């Protein structure tokens, strides 16, 4: 279970380094998002380029992060979520809350909109 964090232009980017965003990984992601938001992070991109599978707990972790940041006037964006993950997001009708971008430049620029 691993994440790589970097900061670019005041935006925190978390790259999930696991192929699965499931009940083993999602509690760690939730903890990471909680810590970052309490430390003042307001713009976070979650890079899902290496994730091939997500379940409801993974979706819950992403939604938790989105809500946590919204409570501090922040925003969460997804980067490179595959079609399987996006299908899960659409089924849950959360595409308006969990915006996905196909490249890092677009994801970073979306915070200016």
């Amino acid at each position: 279970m691993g994440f790589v964090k970097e900061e670019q232009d005041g935006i925190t980017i978390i790259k999930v380094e696991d192929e699965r965003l499931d009940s083993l990984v999602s509690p760690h992601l939730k903890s990471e998002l909680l810590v970052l938001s309490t430390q003042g992070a307001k713009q976070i991109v979650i890079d899902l380029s290496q994730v091939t599978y997500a379940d409801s707990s993974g979706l819950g972790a992403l939604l938790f992060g989105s809500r946590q940041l919204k409570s501090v006037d922040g925003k969460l964006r997804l980067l490179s979520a595959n079609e399987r993950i996006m299908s899960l997001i659409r089924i849950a009708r959360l595409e308006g809350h969990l915006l996905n971008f196909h490249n890092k430049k677009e994801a970073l620029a979306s915070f200016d909109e």
Side-chain angles (χ1 to χ4, degrees), residues 62-80:
L62 297 174
L63 191 57
F64 170 82
S66 177
R67 288 181 178 155
Q68 192 67 29
L69 287 168
K70 191 173 185 177
S71 72
V72 294
D73 294 321
K75 296 177 185 173
L76 178 124
R77 300 290 191 250
L78 305 181
L79 173 61
S80 299

Side-chain angles (χ1 to χ4, degrees), residues 9-67:
D9 300 324
I11 299 168
T12 303
I13 302 166
I14 301 173
K15 183 171 188 168
V16 180
E17 291 196 311
D18 291 280
E19 289 185 3
R20 298 174 63 89
L21 185 54
D22 57 16
S23 60
L24 296 175
V25 177
S26 57
H28 300 283
L29 181 58
K30 286 172 78 171
S31 295
E32 188 68 37
L33 291 166
L34 181 61
V35 167
L36 287 170
S37 67
T38 57
Q39 290 176 342
K42 290 193 175 201
Q43 298 175 322
I44 297 177
V45 173
I46 299 181
D47 182 344
L48 298 172
S49 59
Q50 290 187 280
V51 178
T52 59
Y53 172 83
D55 65 9
S56 59
S57 64
L59 183 60
L62 297 174
L63 191 57
F64 170 82
S66 177
R67 288 181 178 155

